[in-house]
Amino acid sequence: MTARVLVLGAGPAGLSAAERLLERGHGRLRVHVAHMQDVLGGKAASWRDDQGVLVEHGWHMVVGFYDRLFALMKRAGIDRDSALTSMHGDSHCYEPASNEVYTMNSGGGKLGVAARFSFYQGLPAEDRFHFARVMTQAFAIAGSGQDLTRHDDICFDTWAVELGLRPHMTRYALFRFLRIAYFNFPQQISAYHVLQTLKNVSTSEHAELFVCRAGSTESLWNPVGDHLRRLGATIEGSVLATDFVYRGDRIIGVRVGSAPPTGPLSAESIDDLTVLPGTARVLSDFDFVLSTLPVECLKRMNRDDDRMWRSSFFRRLENLRSVATMSLTIVTRRPIDPRFRGPVHGFAAPFTFFVNMKPYWREYADDEAIGAVLVFGGQEAGFEGWTDQQIIDFTLENVQSTLGALLLLDVVSIELHRNDKPWERLLLAEPGVDQFRPDPLTPFRNLFLAGDWVKNRVNLVSMEGAVCSGQEAADLLLARIAEER
Amino acid sequence: MVSRTRTFRSTLVALLLALTVIPTAWAEPVDATSDEDAAHPPDPFVGSYALPRERELGTTAGQFRAIGSAMLVFGGSGIEPGVHGTLELMTFPYLSVRGSLQMTVAAPDSEPLPVFVAKTGPSLHLLPYRLVDLSLFFEGGVAVVNATKTERAPMAVAAPGATFEIWLSHWAFLRLEGHVDCGLYTQSGAARKYVRAGTTFGVGLAI
């Protein structure tokens, strides 16, 4: 007997879940993937505008420890070397105290960690050795094999001070980077989330940063989608799920409709889960549902259903908060300092880091008319009431001291995107959040959850976390099918 | 009369000027970013980036400290001077392991003399991360009484004590310590009690 599975969402979690179901379902599964956007990739998608220019609603990087993603790419037939390019292990840190940018390289493996911090010129010598000692201890704790979740109820700043870090050092941009990396700044980040990261990036190979040569959808998700179709999946875009229909402990239908155009290229944007008039329908051609919808979307489903949202499982989800990431792309005619090969972080919010993508994006690499493609990243907290122009002006002022007068770089174009819609927001990895992250199993026997916000072995807000979560939820679903048979 | 009136008027004008112009000159300059015409509102997180002055002082976890002190021992033979050194490793903000070496340099007629003591034990710090710290410790170890004489004798010692620290910077502090060394030793076949209160005062360095 063939089991029918409806996968909601086509981001890294949805695509990896569908692939795992088809790979391990041995031809006895029918998998249908329904997602709301017109491109694959979910929050990790990219687009092309009318002129064919690459548009991402946020900068995406692939880190060396993304083993599950690399394996998925391999199975999908993606040549890693042509899809991704390394950023040479470099990252740069702007220290406002000295008004200088310092470079760090991720080379050196485990033994290099202390040395890297010890030789970081952005700190006075005594702080440098102190920082090296504390971070070496943090790496040792992260790699000790102990259950790191017990460090979740405290922010990393306080955790490090309790380990002996001198409190003023938490203000260095080098230290703030750990919050910036997960779009947590200006909020705090859970010590568990940082330790889990340190555990994963303890070797230089695992800490290496990669970027897609042609945008993540073209480089990664479209080939994975083709792979899924070859395996027998059907994929349907522009489907917006608004509610579950259930009877007892089973989902018997999903209310959906056609999604209005979304993403950074859509002229009109919607703020909530609103389907186009006259398109509402109920999907019921399934036995199981694997939802990879972002947490803010799930929180909006069945909103009027007190019975569902008063249950202990769903009520806990109310405690999960999210952040609206933002991206700003500035294309200039004149180049910037060529030593900035990796992310440059340490700037004032909202855009706390930037990357010059000119050498990495295929379309710009050989374009002599373009000097730099500066992609800034950050989050919106504290700037919700600012206009786009105010944010752009503020950001240009902030980076002028580092790059020189940015306007002298001869700006070709500036694009700002606020990813503040429910389907665009990221889980905020704040202290104490882990206890509220749900398991893939839900009170509904045929509903499974996945996404980087759902508990999984990687447990980091990242593409790797999403891929891992999708695969684990698929495994549980396969076990449930076997059990019910 | 005219000149007197002019003088009065000049004085009055000067006084009025002083009352109006000088306070204006003393006023804080207007922040340009608070101007309504500014390109953007003020940075809501401006306080998050400035590196604060290194205010933090005192005992912290992970510190390794070395303290060298002058010592006075109050005992049966009056006040005996000595030297005292301590190495201390802070394992947690409140708890450390310390080891001490001390040597009394007693007067020739004091009894016993001089005494060399090596002790180690835990210490509880009551006020970490502060300008002033108090700690309680309990050390145990060995001593050699009459260390420079032929009738020298070994002795086990136990020494409870307390310290008071004032931090001068994040790496230097002054320490006042009080302890009591208690032990029993044998001299000329007879067991003798050794109880000496000691106080030390010295400088500590922390890394």
Side-chain angles (χ1 to χ4, degrees):
Chain A
M1 192 178 110
T2 301
R4 301 159 301 166
V5 182
L6 172 65
V7 176
L8 295 174
L15 295 175
S16 63
E19 197 245 9
R20 177 65 69 103
L21 290 168
L22 291 163
E23 287 273 4
R24 300 199 173 172
H26 307 297
R28 288 178 296 182
L29 288 183
R30 214 173 74 206
V31 176
H32 180 67
V33 180
H35 65 108
M36 70 175 291
Q37 297 190 132
D38 53 355
V39 296
L40 298 178
K43 291 196 289 283
S46 62
W47 290 259
R48 293 268 174 196
D49 68 11
D50 294 342
Q51 280 79 46
V53 175
L54 185 64
V55 177
E56 290 198 326
H57 72 182
W59 181 67
H60 302 111
M61 68 176 178
V62 174
V63 191
F65 74 87
Y66 287 10
D67 293 336
R68 291 167 184 83
L69 178 62
F70 292 139
L72 175 64
M73 288 167 62
K74 193 173 179 184
R75 290 195 297 275
I78 302 170
D79 178 26
R80 180 170 153 178
D81 292 334
S82 63
L84 302 177
T85 180
S86 168
M87 304 188 86
H88 313 285
D90 279 355
S91 59
H92 317 273
C93 188
Y94 169 67
E95 289 291 353
S98 54
N99 198 27
E100 287 281 342
V101 178
Y102 303 91
T103 296
M104 286 181 73
N105 190 280
S106 63
K110 264 181 190 171
L111 293 175
V113 172
R116 252 175 280 151
F117 290 124
S118 300
F119 291 111
Y120 177 75
Q121 298 296 312
L123 308 182
E126 59 192 89
D127 281 352
R128 214 182 298 163
F129 291 115
H130 189 72
F131 192 76
R133 179 180 69 73
V134 171
M135 289 308 293
T136 306
Q137 275 180 274
F139 268 98
I141 291 169
S144 66
Q146 63 172 262
D147 177 17
L148 298 177
T149 54
R150 69 192 181 91
H151 302 288
D152 184 57
D153 61 350
I154 187 170
C155 72
F156 187 65
D157 283 15
T158 306
W159 184 90
V161 169
E162 288 192 358
L163 198 66
L165 188 79
R166 297 172 57 209
H168 81 276
M169 295 183 65
T170 58
R171 293 284 188 88
Y172 282 117
L174 177 67
F175 195 82
R176 201 163 60 239
F177 165 70
L178 299 161
R179 288 152 74 189
I180 290 172
Y182 285 103
F183 300 94
N184 269 57
F185 185 82
Q187 291 104 328
Q188 288 291 348
I189 188 166
S190 147
Y192 162 64
H193 213 77
V194 175
L195 290 171
Q196 186 75 354
T197 306
L198 298 184
K199 180 179 159 187
N200 281 297
V201 298
S202 61
T203 65
S204 49
E205 185 190 358
H206 283 166
E208 191 166 359
L209 305 182
F210 300 88
V211 284
C212 296
R213 286 182 186 275
S216 43
T217 290
E218 282 172 47
S219 302
L220 304 177
W221 312 125
N222 283 346
V224 170
D226 294 340
H227 172 57
L228 289 181
R229 289 186 191 95
R230 286 194 295 273
L231 291 172
T234 50
I235 302 176
E236 185 184 4
S238 301
V239 177
L240 177 58
T242 56
D243 291 300
F244 293 117
V245 182
Y246 58 90
R247 185 181 300 139
D249 63 356
R250 291 194 83 87
I251 303 289
I252 57 169
V254 179
R255 286 202 182 91
V256 299
S258 296
T262 56
L265 297 178
S266 45
E268 288 179 22
S269 193
I270 53 171
D271 289 330
D272 219 327
L273 305 183
T274 313
V275 300
L276 292 175
T279 62
R281 65 189 201 277
V282 176
L283 293 179
S284 56
D285 185 22
F286 59 81
D287 302 306
F288 296 89
V289 181
L290 198 159
S291 168
T292 67
L293 301 177
V295 59
E296 291 298 340
C297 290
L298 195 73
K299 280 159 78 173
R300 282 164 172 76
M301 295 178 75
N302 297 68
R303 271 325 305 176
D304 300 328
D305 186 345
D306 283 351
R307 184 179 154 217
M308 180 170 148
W309 283 99
R310 279 185 191 159
S311 71
S312 60
F313 181 89
F314 286 98
R315 197 173 56 212
R316 286 158 60 87
L317 303 185
E318 303 278 9
N319 296 294
L320 299 176
R321 297 199 301 163
S322 60
V323 298
T325 61
M326 295 206 297
S327 78
L328 174 70
T329 305
I330 303 178
V331 180
T332 69
R333 287 204 177 81
R334 288 178 57 188
I336 63 161
D337 192 332
R339 74 191 158 114
F340 298 145
R341 298 194 298 181
V344 187
H345 55 80
F347 297 101
F351 288 111
T352 45
F353 70 89
F354 78 83
V355 188
N356 179 19
M357 292 299 288
K358 151 84 179 168
Y360 305 117
W361 273 342
R362 198 171 280 150
E363 65 198 273
Y364 292 110
D366 301 322
D367 187 346
E368 291 180 357
I370 300 299
V373 182
L374 307 177
V375 181
F376 291 77
Q379 65 137 305
E380 200 189 30
F383 296 87
E384 293 88 344
W386 290 36
T387 64
D388 288 1
Q389 192 56 50
Q390 285 173 332
I391 289 176
I392 290 169
D393 290 344
F394 182 63
T395 304
L396 292 179
E397 274 177 33
N398 282 334
V399 295
Q400 269 175 358
S401 58
T402 313
L403 300 180
L406 195 68
L407 294 175
L408 297 181
L409 292 172
D410 200 355
V411 173
V412 177
S413 65
I414 296 184
E415 255 183 43
L416 174 74
H417 302 300
R418 299 175 182 227
N419 303 313
D420 54 356
K421 307 295 183 295
W423 51 91
E424 296 171 330
R425 299 175 71 97
L426 283 183
L427 177 72
L428 178 62
E430 59 189 326
V433 72
D434 196 62
Q435 62 184 308
F436 298 113
R437 293 171 74 173
D439 287 319
L441 297 173
T442 72
F444 297 108
R445 279 189 62 80
N446 63 339
L447 174 65
F448 299 79
L449 300 183
D452 59 3
W453 60 280
V454 176
K455 276 185 182 162
N456 61 79
R457 278 197 191 89
V458 173
N459 238 17
L460 294 172
V461 181
S462 61
M463 281 193 264
E464 181 70 353
V467 169
C468 178
S469 173
Q471 292 174 343
E472 288 178 6
D475 288 342
L476 289 166
L477 194 154
L478 289 166
R480 180 64 54 84
I481 291 173
E483 185 187 310
E484 292 193 353
R485 274 175 182 157
Chain B
M1 187 69 188
V2 172
S3 66
R4 192 177 288 177
T5 307
R6 275 188 184 160
T7 306
F8 175 73
R9 279 181 186 164
S10 303
T11 308
L12 189 63
V13 169
L15 188 63
L16 285 171
L17 276 173
L19 286 172
T20 53
V21 175
I22 292 173
T24 310
W26 282 350
E28 291 289 321
V30 176
D31 181 3
T33 57
S34 65
D35 191 333
E36 285 181 4
D37 297 331
H40 52 76
D43 182 354
F45 304 110
V46 69
S48 305
Y49 312 113
L51 206 57
R53 198 168 61 83
E54 294 176 21
R55 286 190 304 260
E56 73 274 8
L57 297 165
T59 302
T60 62
Q63 262 176 1
F64 183 74
R65 329 145 133 218
I67 302 111
S69 308
M71 179 173 68
L72 292 175
V73 175
F74 307 93
S77 307
I79 299 174
E80 299 164 1
V83 290
H84 185 275
T86 304
L87 294 177
E88 190 168 7
L89 176 67
M90 297 299 306
T91 49
F92 302 101
Y94 290 91
L95 198 62
S96 70
V97 177
R98 52 174 275 161
S100 308
L101 290 175
Q102 69 186 57
M103 179 82 180
T104 53
V105 188
D109 57 344
S110 67
E111 181 66 31
L113 89 143
V115 180
F116 175 80
V117 187
K119 300 174 287 189
T120 186
S123 178
L124 178 68
H125 288 259
L126 304 177
L127 301 169
Y129 303 112
R130 289 171 178 85
L131 181 67
V132 171
D133 186 20
L134 293 171
S135 76
L136 303 171
F137 65 87
F138 186 88
E139 289 181 316
V142 293
V144 180
V145 297
N146 295 320
T148 58
K149 291 184 174 180
T150 51
E151 63 269 31
R152 70 178 65 92
M155 172 178 72
V157 290
T163 68
F164 172 76
E165 290 169 8
I166 296 176
W167 285 76
L168 307 174
S169 73
H170 63 267
W171 55 271
F173 58 93
L174 297 175
R175 172 182 276 190
L176 180 67
E177 176 178 313
H179 63 259
V180 181
D181 290 331
C182 309
L184 278 174
Y185 68 99
T186 307
Q187 194 169 50
S188 308
R192 307 181 76 163
K193 269 200 300 189
Y194 178 91
V195 180
R196 296 285 189 277
T199 182
T200 72
F201 182 73
V203 178
L205 300 176
I207 53 173

